[in-house]
Amino acid sequence: DAGVIQSPRHEVTEMGQEVTLRCKPISGHDYLFWYRQTMMRGLELLIYFNNNVPIDDSGMPEDRFSAKMPNASFSTLKIQPSEPRDSAVYFCASSFSGRSSYEQYFGPGTRLTVT
Amino acid sequence: AQKVTQAQTEISVVEKEDVTLDCVYETRDTTYYLFWYKQPPSGELVFLIRRNSFDEQNEISGRYSWNFQKSTSSFNFTITASQVVDSAVYFCALSEVYNQGGKLIFGQGTELSVKP
């Protein structure tokens, strides 16, 4: 089975530009998570979905960030407009509630650099 | 509030030494899961182990072992006879299960450097 797929793997953009990160969860998983990793703040949860519905977006830093999950096999995280402080590695993860452990499987991450 | 603390920011050892990575957690729930993930220099997050709050039995997997003690809210990770390939950042994480799909709260990570 394919794991969690993220694209692009690397993104370099200029301040003020719109950035869209993409995630394809593992087929059959009903939870999807977006995490951000920075040196200062470590790994932090931004938002998560259950059955395509956003459940908790309290980690989204500000209105410049938005996330959608139009169907069970695709999610996007958008930053508009981007700022240098958004530079980080963004991870997508998915899990299946049928497993009592809710074990999360992580994608390879997207390294975002905003200049 | 849920919290995971990894007090050791960096550890450096020489190959073949044993090393223990500490993890202390806080939660009000009685049912939860604890995890360890490894992040090698390549950047991906690699799952190592999961423990549920009802199982305090220690676990050993090859050179890796984990010690879970609810009395001290600790879930420590020991690497025996460390190798250079063990060099990575290790994260401890807490998951409170009910209705949250396993949302993970991560510690700050411990960077382990194993020198030849």
Side-chain angles (χ1 to χ4, degrees):
Chain A
D1 282 343
V4 175
I5 299 172
Q6 291 186 247
S7 63
R9 294 293 308 277
H10 301 272
E11 177 80 35
V12 180
T13 190
E14 291 184 349
M15 183 175 66
Q17 297 297 308
E18 177 179 296
V19 176
T20 299
L21 310 182
R22 296 172 176 80
C23 175
K24 176 178 169 56
I26 293 173
S27 177
H29 282 192
D30 53 351
Y31 279 87
L32 183 138
F33 304 81
W34 283 101
Y35 292 88
R36 179 173 70 174
Q37 184 177 28
T38 61
M39 288 295 293
M40 291 297 294
R41 300 176 66 89
L43 271 160
E44 54 182 344
L45 178 69
L46 299 178
I47 185 172
Y48 75 98
F49 297 82
N50 177 220
N51 291 322
N52 314 337
V53 176
I55 302 300
D56 183 354
D57 65 353
S58 59
M60 296 285 262
E62 49 198 274
D63 292 346
R64 296 185 297 105
F65 284 69
S66 63
K68 293 182 179 179
M69 192 165 185
N71 57 62
S73 59
F74 184 64
S75 176
T76 60
L77 177 67
K78 185 176 294 186
I79 308 172
Q80 167 63 18
S82 57
E83 296 182 2
R85 59 189 167 132
D86 302 330
S87 297
V89 179
Y90 292 81
F91 287 100
C92 177
S94 68
S95 68
F96 174 49
S97 61
R99 288 179 61 94
S100 59
S101 65
Y102 292 97
E103 184 175 312
Q104 289 186 26
Y105 295 81
F106 282 80
T110 295
R111 182 174 296 278
L112 173 65
T113 303
V114 184
T115 61
Chain B
Q2 314 93 47
K3 185 178 179 182
V4 177
T5 302
Q6 295 179 253
Q8 306 149 306
T9 305
E10 297 178 10
I11 299 177
S12 182
V13 299
V14 176
E15 206 170 20
K16 297 184 183 177
E17 283 185 30
D18 298 348
V19 57
T20 296
L21 310 182
D22 297 333
C23 173
V24 174
Y25 62 93
E26 295 175 29
T27 178
R28 290 170 296 188
D29 281 5
T30 56
T31 301
Y32 52 89
Y33 285 90
L34 296 163
F35 299 80
W36 276 95
Y37 284 85
K38 175 182 180 179
Q39 187 174 42
S42 52
E44 72 272 25
L45 282 161
V46 179
F47 166 81
L48 294 179
I49 190 172
R50 173 193 71 244
R51 224 47 187 152
N52 76 55
S53 53
F54 298 110
D55 182 1
E56 289 193 69
Q57 195 169 16
N58 291 335
E59 182 155 340
I60 298 174
S61 176
R63 296 183 298 106
Y64 295 170
S65 62
W66 291 269
N67 180 260
F68 175 31
Q69 292 193 344
K70 288 181 75 172
S71 61
T72 56
S73 297
S74 65
F75 186 43
N76 297 336
F77 173 31
T78 297
I79 302 174
T80 303
S82 60
Q83 299 177 1
V84 173
V85 293
D86 296 328
S87 296
V89 181
Y90 291 85
F91 292 95
C92 181
L94 167 70
S95 170
E96 293 179 342
V97 174
Y98 293 118
N99 298 320
Q100 295 187 78
K103 180 173 76 171
L104 289 172
I105 309 297
F106 283 93
Q108 285 299 100
T110 297
E111 183 172 4
L112 174 64
S113 176
V114 181
K115 303 191 185 305

